[in-house]
Amino acid sequence: SGFSIPNTLARSSLSSSSVVPASTTQLYESIVSPFEAGGGAEGESAEAAKEPLEGPLELTWENVEAVLDEMRPYLIQDGGNVVISEIDGPVVRLELQGACGTCPSSTQTMKMGLERGLREKIPEIQEVVQSMPEGPPLTEDEINIVLDGVRPFLQVAGGTIDIDRIEGEGGLQPSVWLEMKGSSASLNSVKLEIAQRLQRHFMMAGLQIQWKEENKWDD
């Protein structure tokens, strides 16, 4: 029998962290950046009242802020915002806030929207990268805080979930391996929801959620 986390909990599943396993990338194909064509009539009307900035501009904090001001209406209307975290030579670090910070399309927003807009006006910029807020340490106790929130619903369907192992702590791509048993173990929607909750909790760039496959045949 099938199993799904109740809508009251699953509703947030499309507002997760930008970093997801490659195996789930295709699930986000229908999610678009607020900079896509057709988005933001209010932002367009607000910008119409201002004279657009003319490039090329010098790479300064003030100029980056001014160019971001032209793009902020598109983010604000979707419940988000952007602030400068750091300018390190030709690299600009930005922090997406609000809904934009936890949206699955945040990478697209950063690269196809903000980076493109900034580099068009400020050619000195070589790269725009997303600055992630610091989350809790990647420990079994912290992982279990998240898992304890879904275990009651798994138990209803006769399922369980446990931590198998943690790999790459302190590295660029740490991995959390989980083992799920029961009827829900084969449901990708349940796995996706759990992965997204962990990514929102830790806010850690490069975090990978992996699943230990249950042995179905015994030799």
Side-chain angles (χ1 to χ4, degrees):
S1 61
F3 166 77
S4 62
I5 295 175
N7 290 337
T8 53
L9 295 173
R11 251 198 301 267
S12 64
S13 64
L14 291 182
S15 61
S16 68
S17 166
S18 62
V19 182
V20 296
S23 60
T24 60
T25 302
Q26 67 272 21
L27 297 176
Y28 295 141
E29 290 179 351
S30 62
I31 303 172
V32 297
S33 165
F35 295 97
E36 291 295 321
E42 293 180 6
E44 292 170 0
S45 61
E47 289 303 308
K50 297 181 181 180
E51 287 291 331
L53 292 172
E54 295 289 340
L57 300 173
E58 185 181 356
L59 176 52
T60 66
W61 193 285
E62 292 75 16
N63 285 339
V64 172
E65 194 69 57
V67 176
L68 290 177
D69 280 342
E70 291 189 334
M71 296 183 281
R72 277 194 174 98
Y74 298 96
L75 301 175
I76 292 172
Q77 71 177 3
D78 284 343
N81 206 340
V82 62
V83 296
I84 305 171
S85 176
E86 180 185 16
I87 298 178
D88 183 10
V91 178
V92 177
R93 295 183 181 276
L94 303 178
E95 180 181 337
L96 291 172
Q97 299 181 329
C100 293
T102 56
C103 176
S105 63
S106 61
T107 300
Q108 183 180 359
T109 297
M110 183 68 66
K111 291 295 181 182
M112 300 303 294
L114 298 175
E115 182 176 69
R116 183 171 60 184
L118 284 167
R119 294 183 68 180
E120 284 177 355
K121 300 292 177 66
I122 309 175
E124 290 180 61
I125 296 175
Q126 291 184 4
E127 187 179 14
V128 177
V129 297
Q130 185 172 357
S131 177
M132 301 292 289
E134 186 174 352
L138 186 61
T139 64
E140 289 197 7
D141 287 342
E142 287 291 337
I143 295 171
N144 277 316
I145 289 174
V146 178
L147 298 183
D148 285 345
V150 299
R151 281 186 170 118
F153 305 101
L154 294 175
Q155 289 170 0
V156 169
T160 62
I161 185 169
D162 294 293
I163 303 167
D164 182 66
R165 64 188 185 274
I166 303 173
E167 295 180 343
E169 299 99 319
L172 295 177
Q173 287 190 318
S175 297
V176 175
W177 286 82
L178 303 175
E179 183 176 16
M180 188 159 53
K181 297 180 180 180
S183 60
S184 57
S186 61
L187 295 178
N188 287 331
S189 60
V190 176
K191 291 181 178 179
L192 177 60
E193 169 68 14
I194 293 169
Q196 289 173 340
R197 289 185 180 212
L198 287 167
Q199 289 152 359
R200 287 196 300 271
H201 181 77
F202 289 104
M203 297 297 291
M204 186 179 296
L207 177 62
Q208 301 287 315
I209 310 301
Q210 308 285 357
W211 299 93
K212 180 181 178 182
E213 294 296 331
E214 184 176 3
N215 293 328
K216 297 181 180 179
W217 299 278
D218 293 322
D219 295 331

